[in-house]
């Protein structure tokens, strides 16, 4: 797992020429995570005031609700505007650096000694340039659009839920760590398998480039059927190596869906028990139910990030 994080950090390091814009996008994502965290808290406060008034304990006035409603609407509006701004600038930043990295790689390869080029296939070099730059583009775009805010929500804001109700907060943290353990297990289980998949992908690109670049020779020596059979054999080998990886990630997808249901039910069950014993309020239960739904969505994004970087890792090493 640490190897994937180190690789991800190295990819982010290639944003150097655009580091100021990248820093501003990180700050914006931090603000988005805080806004997303604040909305369930405000909703829970409103529910508590309504529940108190319904119980006949105090009279409810608009002046009691208006500040909470205004803050809730303000955070919601900020969330919409900031998301649009972040997405637009993340797109522009990622595309600029993608073509920039392609140019840097192209210049680097041209300066390599002839001994390297005599031992390296042009199709493999082209595949590295195109797929590597596209993989980096996908990681940059995903980081600034979703993953940064998700990581902040999971590792910074999630512990803060302990200050609202430490019992419910602790339950959510335990659920997150259990799910994180499952994901880490899948990563370790499939790392070597995915490297083998990329090896087959490179061989496939090399053979296809050779064949398409020498069609007249292949036709003159009547080797069309032989080349087609060879390519189909390589495709079969590629699929045989890829299927186990996809099966493991299907297990993770099922675990994600199951964790959503289990977490919401667990929060509701524990919250109900705490409410019966006077250790929480209806508003706090609603708040943590909203937290659970939001955090499961964040978890799915983080799993998608882990899946993506895992699939792209062999292209970036």
């Amino acid at each position: 797992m640490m190897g994937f994080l180190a690789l991800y950090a190295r990819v982010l390091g290639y944003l150097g020429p655009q580091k100021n814009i990248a820093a501003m996008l990180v700050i914006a994502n931090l603000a988005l995570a805080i806004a997303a965290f604040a909305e369930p808290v405000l909703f829970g406060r409103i529910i508590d005031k309504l529940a108190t008034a319904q119980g006949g304990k105090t009279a409810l006035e608009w002046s009691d609700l208006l500040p909470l409603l205004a803050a809730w609407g303000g955070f919601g509006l900020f969330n919409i505007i900031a998301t649009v701004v972040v997405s637009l600038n993340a797109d522009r930043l990622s595309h600029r650096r993608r073509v920039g990295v392609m140019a840097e790689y192209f210049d680097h390869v041209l300066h390599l000694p002839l001994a390297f080029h005599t031992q390296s296939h042009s199709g493999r070099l082209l595949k590295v340039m195109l797929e590597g730059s596209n993989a980096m583009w996908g990681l940059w775009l995903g980081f600034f659009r979703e993953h940064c805010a998700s990581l902040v929500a999971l590792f910074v804001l999630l512990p803060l839920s302990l200050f609202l109700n430490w019992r419910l907060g602790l339950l959510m943290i335990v659920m997150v760590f259990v799910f994180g353990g499952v994901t880490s297990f899948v990563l370790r289980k499939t790392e070597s398998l995915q490297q083998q998949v990329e090896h087959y992908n490179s061989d496939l690109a090399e053979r296809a480039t050779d064949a398409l670049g020498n069609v007249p020779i292949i036709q003159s020596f009547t080797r069309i059927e032989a080349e087609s059979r060879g390519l189909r054999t390589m495709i079969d080998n590629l699929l045989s190596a890829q299927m186990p990886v996809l099966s493991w990630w299907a297990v993770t997808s099922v675990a994600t869906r199951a964790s959503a249901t289990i977490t919401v039910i667990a929060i509701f069950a524990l919250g109900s028990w705490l409410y019966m014993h006077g250790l929480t309020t209806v508003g706090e239960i609603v708040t943590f139910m909203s937290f659970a739904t939001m955090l499961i969505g964040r978890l799915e994004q983080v799993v998608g990030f882990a899946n993506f970087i895992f699939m792209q890792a062999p292209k970036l090493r």
Side-chain angles (χ1 to χ4, degrees), residues 46 49-50 52-53 58-69:
I46 293 172
K49 286 189 176 294
L50 293 173
T52 302
T58 59
L60 185 64
E61 301 289 340
W62 267 112
S63 58
D64 298 323
L65 292 179
L66 198 56
L68 294 173
L69 290 172

Side-chain angles (χ1 to χ4, degrees), residues 17-292:
Q18 304 288 330
K19 60 182 178 182
N20 292 333
I21 298 177
M24 287 189 292
L25 287 173
V26 169
I27 294 172
N29 272 283
L30 176 60
L32 277 170
I34 293 173
F37 188 83
E39 289 188 59
V41 175
L42 292 168
F43 184 43
R45 295 287 187 268
I46 293 172
I47 294 297
D48 273 339
K49 286 189 176 294
L50 293 173
T52 302
Q54 187 179 29
K57 298 178 182 179
T58 59
L60 185 64
E61 301 289 340
W62 267 112
S63 58
D64 298 323
L65 292 179
L66 198 56
L68 294 173
L69 290 172
W72 190 9
F75 277 115
L77 183 62
F78 170 79
N79 209 334
I80 294 171
I81 296 174
T83 299
V84 173
V85 173
V86 167
S87 297
L88 181 61
N89 285 279
D91 279 345
R92 293 176 176 177
L93 171 64
S94 301
H95 280 288
R96 278 198 297 265
R97 287 308 298 145
R98 180 178 68 88
V99 294
V101 165
M102 288 177 63
E104 291 166 10
Y105 174 85
F106 184 76
D107 183 65
H108 172 72
V109 170
L110 290 181
H111 283 85
L112 290 175
L114 289 176
F116 170 83
H117 289 284
T118 56
Q119 299 175 1
S120 301
H121 195 278
S122 59
R124 190 178 294 268
L125 294 176
L126 181 61
K127 178 179 178 292
V128 170
M129 183 177 75
L130 296 178
E131 292 192 356
S133 60
N134 285 332
M136 295 175 78
W137 167 78
L139 290 176
W140 291 325
L141 187 61
F143 177 78
F144 291 116
R145 271 190 171 183
E146 298 175 348
H147 305 145
C148 182
S150 297
L151 293 172
V152 170
L154 289 175
F155 298 109
V156 179
L157 298 180
L158 179 59
L160 294 180
S161 65
L162 294 172
F163 292 98
L164 297 176
N165 187 301
W166 70 267
R167 297 172 180 86
L168 293 173
L170 185 60
L171 175 61
M172 284 203 307
I173 291 174
V174 169
M175 297 299 292
V176 167
F177 272 98
V178 169
F179 182 71
V182 172
T183 304
S184 179
F185 171 77
V186 172
L187 283 174
R188 291 195 302 269
K189 195 74 176 178
T190 54
E191 181 177 5
S192 59
L193 295 175
Q194 185 61 29
Q195 290 177 353
Q196 186 179 10
V197 169
E198 289 306 316
H199 174 73
Y200 283 126
N201 274 323
S202 296
D203 289 344
L204 184 63
E206 184 174 324
R207 177 150 191 164
T209 302
D210 280 341
L212 295 175
N214 295 281
V215 172
I217 298 176
I218 292 174
Q219 290 180 344
S220 63
F221 283 90
T222 62
R223 287 193 50 82
I224 295 177
E225 289 299 324
E227 291 295 328
S228 296
R229 283 196 304 271
L231 191 67
R232 282 193 292 268
T233 299
M234 296 184 74
I235 290 174
D236 290 339
N237 292 335
L238 172 61
L239 290 175
S240 298
Q242 184 73 77
M243 291 307 170
V245 178
L246 298 179
S247 297
W248 276 109
W249 279 104
V251 171
T252 306
S253 178
V254 171
T256 303
R257 301 298 178 184
S259 66
T261 303
I262 294 171
T263 302
V264 170
I265 293 175
I267 291 291
F268 183 77
L270 178 60
S272 298
W273 185 88
L274 293 173
Y275 178 77
M276 295 175 191
H277 291 79
L279 297 174
T280 190
T281 65
V282 175
E284 285 185 349
I285 296 174
V286 172
T287 295
F288 275 88
M289 293 282 283
S290 299
F291 278 162

